[in-house]
Amino acid sequence: MSYWEQKILEAFTNRYYKIPRGENRHFLRLKTSTFFPEFLSAPVEEKLAYLEAAEALAERGVITLTWEKHERKEKIKTITCQNTELLFKELGKAFPKAEAENIRALLAEKMATNSNVYPDLFQHLYHNFDSHDIGRGINYEVMVDFLGFLDLFSEPAKIGKMTPRSISILLYRDSKRLEQVLSLCGHLIPEEFEVDLSPLLRSYPETYLSGKFRFAYKNKDEPMINPYGHAIGMYYKHIEAIQEISLVTIKLNPRVLSIENKETYFALASRANFDEEDKLSQFDCFLYTGGYPNRAVTSLIKILASSGFSLYHAGDLDPDGILILQRIQEIAGKEVIPHRMDRETFDTYSTWAKPLPATVLSQLKKINKETTAIPGIQGLINKIEESGTGVEQEIIDYR
């Protein structure tokens, strides 16, 4: 199969999967003007290769061609595919509709045997699985492996204290297969079914929080108290168990400062900074975000916001730094005040600012109007645009 034959067929399969559920997938069309916009300026050999590939596929009945008027055999106007089953056969792939039906039959068989403890989930999978999921890489073999995993996962005692790779060896005799299967199939399980696969995705979101705080837990266990303000490492699952965060000494308007970079976090969050004469004493807690918030940081921000903390943020003076501030504000659902993220601070450190590539500067377009309305942010954006540079947080003296 030639390069252009492969490219035409793959373009049609991509179109096939992009058609919304329920709409006709048996009439697909490509326009040369959008599929191969450089056709007119392309070298003669490239034009011929494209035309010959299209004609060869047409002769095999996979596609039909419509030529530009007065330019027959010289310029193709549109390529149409109405035989999608043959399209996938040409590529050596299973027809998605048939593959989806086979998988639903497998699910029906599984439900009929009553061999699973997730009947509602299996009903959901049976009624909702279709060709779009095949397009994501889920085939019959992947689904067999996924259902085998669910059977084992339904009995926690069988996999207690096992790592994801050791479970994968147990199930598939392949240490990486489980990770592949879950990355493909994890989206099939809606949140309402409360099947938490996150510990098995080899992802362990964590963060740090320092300050003289008290954690109240959802299950009414004894609260955890941090009377000396130490930086506490916190895993996502621990954070999920927390109901509320308060200060050891009750304060009307507690403040938390989230910090983007780890080096700055540990410098600012050390216990020495809780001296009443220190400029940082206005903050009661310090939260490490590690760049864009992971699930642990996200959960902690929500708890702090709902617990009545006022939120402040210190980050890099560049597009990503501002977008991280924006994301924290979206998560919190309340105002987040930037700390030393303004033009004045930028000017102070402009001698050590670093040039930013165009791809990074283009991120400024993602900053929304709510963020630009925050005092100091528009001036910072203007400075970044004017200079084409950014200031890293680690060089800023926050004392």
Side-chain angles (χ1 to χ4, degrees), residues 252-264:
L252 183 61
N253 183 32
R255 297 180 176 187
V256 59
L257 176 67
S258 57
I259 300 167
E260 179 180 341
N261 303 106
K262 183 178 282 189
E263 183 179 348
T264 303

Side-chain angles (χ1 to χ4, degrees), residues 77-370:
K77 184 177 181 180
T78 59
I79 305 174
T80 305
C81 177
Q82 292 180 275
N83 192 339
T84 50
E85 195 164 353
L86 183 55
L87 167 68
F88 283 91
K89 185 177 181 181
E90 282 282 326
L91 285 168
K93 298 180 179 180
F95 186 47
K97 183 179 179 181
E99 186 82 341
E101 288 173 353
N102 288 338
I103 288 174
R104 282 196 296 273
L106 172 66
L107 292 165
E109 180 183 344
K110 197 76 174 171
M111 290 186 291
T113 60
N114 294 317
S115 62
N116 69 84
V117 294
Y118 298 119
D120 293 337
L121 173 59
F122 275 63
Q123 284 282 349
H124 171 84
L125 293 175
Y126 176 78
H127 290 294
N128 291 278
F129 192 91
D130 69 5
S131 300
H132 281 87
D133 298 304
I134 301 297
R136 293 189 177 200
I138 303 173
N139 56 27
Y140 190 88
E141 181 183 359
V142 169
M143 184 56 76
V144 168
D145 286 351
F146 182 54
L147 298 183
F149 160 74
L150 288 178
D151 281 344
L152 184 65
F153 190 67
S154 68
E155 299 182 66
K158 288 188 176 181
I159 56 175
K161 299 182 180 180
M162 292 182 70
T163 66
R165 287 196 173 185
S166 64
I167 295 171
S168 190
I169 291 288
L170 177 67
L171 283 170
Y172 315 119
R173 313 305 298 172
D174 179 338
S175 66
K176 296 185 178 181
R177 179 60 174 170
L178 179 59
E179 190 175 358
Q180 295 167 348
V181 170
L182 295 184
S183 67
L184 290 170
C185 298
H187 75 280
L188 296 176
I189 305 178
E191 289 185 7
E192 60 263 29
F193 288 100
E194 298 182 349
V195 180
D196 184 13
L197 303 179
S198 58
L200 298 167
L201 295 175
R202 303 184 70 216
S203 173
Y204 307 98
E206 57 186 2
T207 187
Y208 294 94
L209 182 70
S210 59
K212 298 177 182 180
F213 52 71
R214 176 189 287 106
F215 293 151
Y217 292 100
K218 294 174 182 176
N219 62 5
K220 308 302 181 184
D221 280 350
E222 285 294 316
M224 188 189 102
I225 301 173
N226 188 35
Y228 301 110
H230 292 298
I232 305 293
M234 303 181 66
Y235 172 53
Y236 170 68
K237 284 293 184 183
H238 177 200
I239 297 167
E240 287 288 281
I242 297 170
Q243 178 72 39
E244 185 181 25
I245 301 174
S246 59
L247 298 180
V248 172
T249 302
I250 301 300
K251 185 176 178 181
L252 183 61
N253 183 32
R255 297 180 176 187
V256 59
L257 176 67
S258 57
I259 300 167
E260 179 180 341
N261 303 106
K262 183 178 282 189
E263 183 179 348
T264 303
Y265 171 78
F266 281 106
L268 302 191
S270 64
R271 284 194 296 150
N273 287 326
F274 286 87
D275 187 328
E276 289 184 3
E277 296 182 1
D278 195 296
K279 290 180 181 179
L280 292 163
S281 64
Q282 64 175 301
F283 302 113
D284 304 290
C285 293
F286 296 87
L287 169 64
Y288 171 56
T289 72
Y292 285 92
N294 60 28
R295 284 185 300 142
V297 176
T298 297
S299 294
L300 205 46
I301 289 169
K302 290 178 179 178
I303 296 169
L304 287 162
S306 66
S307 298
F309 279 77
S310 294
L311 293 114
Y312 294 74
H313 179 70
D316 291 336
L317 310 189
D318 63 14
D320 276 326
I322 298 171
L323 287 170
I324 290 168
L325 168 67
Q326 177 172 293
R327 179 61 187 141
I328 292 171
Q329 185 158 276
E330 290 170 348
I331 294 166
K334 62 191 292 187
E335 179 186 33
V336 176
I337 302 169
H339 181 62
R340 300 208 65 186
M341 295 181 70
D342 49 38
R343 185 170 187 140
E344 181 182 357
T345 304
F346 191 106
D347 287 338
T348 301
Y349 294 93
S350 59
T351 302
W352 301 277
K354 291 190 174 182
L356 300 174
T359 52
V360 174
L361 288 169
S362 67
Q363 295 288 91
L364 290 170
K365 295 183 293 187
K366 297 181 180 179
I367 300 171
N368 61 35
K369 61 182 181 181
E370 289 79 14

Side-chain angles (χ1 to χ4, degrees), residues 1-19:
M1 183 180 295
S2 72
Y3 165 80
W4 274 109
E5 286 180 84
Q6 182 87 17
K7 190 169 182 178
I8 291 169
L9 293 173
E10 288 180 351
F12 274 121
T13 58
N14 290 336
R15 287 284 180 93
Y16 180 92
Y17 288 124
K18 287 180 180 178
I19 293 174

Side-chain angles (χ1 to χ4, degrees), residues 31-38 76-77:
K31 291 183 179 180
T32 294
S33 59
T34 54
F35 174 61
F36 188 8
E38 307 87 1
I76 299 169
K77 184 177 181 180

